[in-house]
Every structure is written in C-alpha cells, then in structure tokens.
Amino acid sequence: MEDTVEDPPTSAVLLDHCHFSQVIFNSVEKFYVPGGDVSCYYTVTQQFIPRRKDWIGIFRVGWKTAREYYTFMWVASPTDVKSRLTKQQEVQFKAYYLPKDDEYYQFCYVDQDGVVRGASTPFQFRPENEEDILVVTTQGEVEEIEQHNSKLCKENQELKDSCVSLQKQNSDMQAELQKKQEELETLKSINKKLEEQMKEQKDSWEAVLLQLKEQNQKISSENKKMEVRVDQLQAQLSMQEKEMEKLVQENQDKTEQLEHLKKENGQLFLSLTEQREYQKTLEQTVEELKQKEATAVKKQQELTDQNFDLSRKLIDNKIIYDVLQKEKENLAGANDFLKRENSRLMSYMGLDFDSLPYQVPTSDQEGAGQSPGLVYGNPYSGIQESSAPNLLSSQKCRTCPSDYADDIFDHTLEEQHIEMRYLNCPICNKSFSAKEKQIFEDHVFCHAL
C-alpha cells in the first residue's frame, strides 16, 4: 500500500505532554468485524491547524509513545483549512493492515511533529455474533478467562479513570488554551500596535536624525566661521591691546581689564557653545573700556587744561617776579647811586656823612622834601639851591622822552631804565617791548609746550 511505504513522523513524547482534545473522533464502534475495511471519522477543532504530514494510527490500549502504532494512514492535505475546521473528515483503513487479535485498540491523531492531538474510545476487532456462539472450555480455561476478564476489567476501570482524568485535563487545558488564545490575541494586537508605534517612532527618529545631521553641519560651518571670526577678533584685540597700552600705560585698572579680556578670549576656545554670549560680554566690556577711555581722555584733557592754566599762571607769576626783581634791583641801584651822590655832596660841602647823628633819607624821603632830622635847618641849603641849576641839569633817555639830572645820570641807571622799558625772555633772552606784553607771555608759554 502506497500510503504506508513511508514511515510516519513519531516522537518519544509521553502522554502527559499530549493534547487529546484538539481532534475529536466521531462514530467510533465498540467492535469492528475482521476482514472488512474500517472508516475513521474525525473533526479538527479551532485550537489545532492540520498540516501535510499529519497521520492517524491504530494503537493498542496501553501505549506510551507515538512510536507504538500498529498501522496508520495519512490524513487529507489541508487545502482549505478554515472550511475543514468544523467539517467531519474521513480516513479508511484497509482490512489487510488491520489487527487480527481481539485486543482493545483506539484511533490516535498524530501531527507531523509526532505529538498526539486526539484519541478515540477503545474498540475491538471481533465478529458481531460472537456472543451467540457456544464455546466449550475446560475449568482451567475458565479460570484463565476469568483472570483475564478481571484483569481486563481492572484495565478498563483504569482506562475509565484515565479517560475521566484526561477529560478533566482536556477541559482544563481547553479553558487554559482559550485563555492563552485570548492572551495571544491581545498580545498580537498589542504587538501590532507596538510595531506600528515602532515604525512611526523609527520614522520620526530618522527624521529627527536627519534634522540633527543638518543642524550638526550648520553648527560645524558656523563653528568654522566663528573660529575665523575669533582669529580676527584676536588680531583686532592684540592691536587694541597695543594701542591701549600706548594710550593708558599708567592706568593699572585698564591693564587688569585687558588681562581679563585675554583670559575671556582664551576661554572662548574652550567653549564654542558660549561664543555668542561671550562675544556680547566682550562687546559690553569693550564699550565700558571705551567709555572709561573717553572719561580718561576727558579727565586728561581737563588736567591738560588745568596744567595749561597753571603754566600760564606760573609764567605770569614768573614774569611778574622777574619784573619785580628787576624793579627791586633797579631801585636798589638807584638807592645806592643816590647814597653815593649824597655822600659825594656831603663830602663836597665839608661834612662827614658818618659823623651825622641822623641818616641820609632814602629816595622815597627825598621826594617828600626836606628831612625832618635837622633841628636848625640845613646851613648849606642856600648853596644847594644856588648850585641846583648846575647840579640838576638834565639829560634825555635814548629810548624814551624821560629826563635825567646830569649829576645823577649814570650808564648803569640808563641800562636799568632800558631794562624796565623792555621784557626779556628768561629762556632765550629775546627782548620784547613793554607794550607787547601779551606777545611776550605767548612766547614764554610756547617754551613750556
């Protein structure tokens, strides 16, 4: 027989791991007549999906594994599984391959993995009228038959108990299977949702990753531009530092602020993400420095103006001092000259100037008239008055219309008079007229610049 040439797939799976409720056998007889074909009817439940290598075997009652089959037949190929789930199927066993003894057998559905998915109730192969045949046996055979019957009853009871246990286990397994199937359906729906979410998340991640790559490229280009800008700022900063050092060398505060700017510029290389904020801070600092510089320049201008005013005042004071000093020297020279003239006149009149009880009046007193120190008057006043026209004969100054007495005229007095008429620069000795005082002051101020 072609269907039995190839051995069916079997396994050493024990009864405890089999599922007898997934395939249900229908219309199973209690016994089948030997010598005739046997039809096996079965129905596949929704908990099991048949496959191409599934088969149905005839097993002797008491089997332990799927390898203990007596004969088998391949099941029909599942062309349309959904339409066959609730439809009754049929497999026909040929009489040639059926057992010849009267032992109890049962149909078992085995899948292509060798796992039993369903089992029928036990049946026998014997004639229908076997109960009406009169059998003559001996007492020993009777006892043996009774022992065999008791053994069969015992096995039958065990099989019934096993069947009850299997049915209970089958119901429990069906309930558990139903529960597992519901959980499986729930998990499938959840898995489907998760897959959809993962797909959406993956698409969103890819979009975000693409955006991040574009942003990274933009940031890289901006970083390169910022590096170039930083180099330019560094060059500008170095130039500004040199200019600031030249302008405000004595200002320690500005130097410290420039050092602070150098440190901030060094930190600019360490944190490129803080470049814009740092640049704003740097611009604010430079603005403050410019304001401070403007304040310093303004203060320096004020100090320069004050220094200019003080220099002018100093020059004016110096000029006044020199003029007063020269006037003092001129007056002292004139006083000495008058003293000498007075002494000469006294000696001319025969008087001793040192023996007089009073001093000759100074030039200021001479301008006031006769000295009050004479008690009886000047005995030679007539001589002086008579000789006054000769003694007080005048001479004119060469540079101005002033007149000098002939007796008191001297070259020294003339020189002192000329010096009073002119202003000499104390630095270059350049002479200016007394009327050109403003020009003289400007000239002296130019030496102070």
Side-chain angles (χ1 to χ4, degrees), residues 47-153:
Q47 288 82 12
F48 177 71
I49 298 175
R51 291 178 287 180
R52 187 175 62 85
K53 287 288 187 178
D54 294 352
W55 54 279
I56 295 176
I58 297 176
F59 289 78
R60 181 180 293 177
V61 175
W63 60 273
K64 300 297 182 184
T65 65
R67 296 175 181 176
E68 299 178 11
Y69 65 93
Y70 185 86
T71 185
F72 77 96
M73 289 295 294
W74 299 106
V75 300
S77 299
T79 55
D80 189 1
V81 177
K82 294 183 178 180
S83 63
R84 293 192 178 200
L85 288 178
T86 59
K87 186 177 179 180
Q88 181 173 276
Q89 305 294 323
E90 179 183 359
V91 174
Q92 191 174 38
F93 290 90
K94 298 297 181 180
Y96 179 78
Y97 298 101
L98 296 176
K100 303 298 189 290
D101 56 8
D102 58 352
E103 296 291 336
Y104 283 91
Y105 293 90
Q106 62 181 154
F107 298 113
C108 291
Y109 188 102
V110 184
D111 63 7
Q112 68 178 13
D113 296 327
V115 179
V116 179
R117 299 294 179 177
S120 68
T121 58
F123 57 86
Q124 288 180 303
F125 293 96
R126 62 183 177 85
E128 293 182 0
N129 55 356
E130 187 177 356
E131 295 179 357
D132 298 334
I133 297 176
L134 180 62
V135 179
V136 179
T137 58
T138 61
Q139 184 68 29
E141 291 177 350
V142 171
E143 290 178 356
E144 185 179 354
I145 290 171
E146 288 179 354
Q147 290 177 0
H148 183 68
N149 286 334
S150 63
K151 183 178 180 181
L152 288 177
C153 290

Side-chain angles (χ1 to χ4, degrees), residues 124-339:
Q124 288 180 303
F125 293 96
R126 62 183 177 85
E128 293 182 0
N129 55 356
E130 187 177 356
E131 295 179 357
D132 298 334
I133 297 176
L134 180 62
V135 179
V136 179
T137 58
T138 61
Q139 184 68 29
E141 291 177 350
V142 171
E143 290 178 356
E144 185 179 354
I145 290 171
E146 288 179 354
Q147 290 177 0
H148 183 68
N149 286 334
S150 63
K151 183 178 180 181
L152 288 177
C153 290
K154 185 177 180 181
E155 290 180 357
N156 189 14
Q157 185 65 34
E158 290 177 356
L159 287 174
K160 287 181 180 180
D161 295 338
S162 176
C163 184
V164 172
S165 176
L166 290 174
Q167 289 177 353
K168 183 178 180 181
Q169 184 179 2
N170 186 16
S171 63
D172 294 338
M173 293 298 292
Q174 284 182 350
E176 185 178 358
L177 181 62
Q178 185 68 24
K179 184 178 179 181
K180 293 294 184 182
Q181 284 182 346
E182 292 176 357
E183 292 179 356
L184 181 61
E185 291 296 330
T186 304
L187 290 175
K188 284 182 179 178
S189 62
I190 294 173
N191 189 19
K192 187 176 181 181
K193 291 180 180 179
L194 289 175
E195 288 178 354
E196 293 176 355
Q197 291 179 358
M198 286 296 292
K199 186 176 180 180
E200 293 176 357
Q201 190 71 22
K202 185 178 179 181
D203 295 336
S204 63
W205 285 349
E206 289 178 354
V208 171
L209 182 61
L210 183 61
Q211 291 179 359
L212 289 175
K213 286 182 180 179
E214 293 177 355
Q215 290 180 0
N216 190 14
Q217 292 177 357
K218 290 181 181 179
I219 290 173
S220 299
S221 61
E222 288 180 358
N223 286 336
K224 291 181 181 179
K225 292 180 181 179
M226 290 301 294
E227 287 177 358
V228 175
R229 180 59 180 168
V230 167
D231 294 335
Q232 294 177 356
L233 287 176
Q234 282 184 340
Q236 293 178 1
L237 185 61
S238 61
M239 294 176 64
Q240 289 179 359
E241 286 176 357
K242 291 180 181 179
E243 292 177 358
M244 292 296 289
E245 287 177 357
K246 290 179 181 179
L247 293 175
V248 286
Q249 294 179 356
E250 70 280 358
N251 194 341
Q252 187 64 28
D253 294 335
K254 291 183 180 179
T255 305
E256 293 177 357
Q257 291 177 358
L258 287 174
E259 292 296 330
H260 181 66
L261 288 176
K262 289 181 181 179
K263 292 180 181 179
E264 290 182 353
N265 190 19
Q267 293 177 357
L268 188 63
F269 289 99
L270 301 177
S271 176
L272 292 177
T273 56
E274 299 177 356
Q275 288 179 354
R276 293 180 180 177
E277 182 178 357
Y278 177 74
Q279 186 176 2
K280 291 180 181 179
T281 306
L282 186 62
E283 290 176 355
Q284 292 177 0
T285 306
V286 171
E287 187 65 25
E288 292 177 358
L289 287 176
K290 288 181 179 180
Q291 293 178 359
K292 291 183 178 180
E293 182 181 0
T295 305
V297 169
K298 184 177 180 181
K299 187 175 181 180
Q300 185 178 2
Q301 186 63 33
E302 292 177 356
L303 292 175
T304 303
D305 295 338
Q306 292 179 2
N307 190 13
F308 179 76
D309 295 336
L310 292 175
S311 298
R312 293 193 58 147
K313 290 180 179 180
L314 180 61
I315 291 170
D316 293 338
N317 292 331
K318 187 174 182 181
I319 292 170
I320 294 171
Y321 173 77
D322 291 338
V323 172
L324 293 176
Q325 188 69 25
K326 288 181 179 181
E327 289 180 356
K328 181 180 179 181
E329 291 176 357
N330 293 332
L331 292 174
N335 191 15
D336 292 338
F337 177 74
L338 292 174
K339 285 182 179 181

Side-chain angles (χ1 to χ4, degrees), residues 4 34 41 55 95 111 166 279 339 364 374 386-387 399 440:
T4 58
Y41 302 98
W55 54 279
D111 63 7
L166 290 174
Q279 186 176 2
K339 285 182 179 181
D364 296 333
L374 298 175
S386 61
S387 60
T399 60
F440 170 73

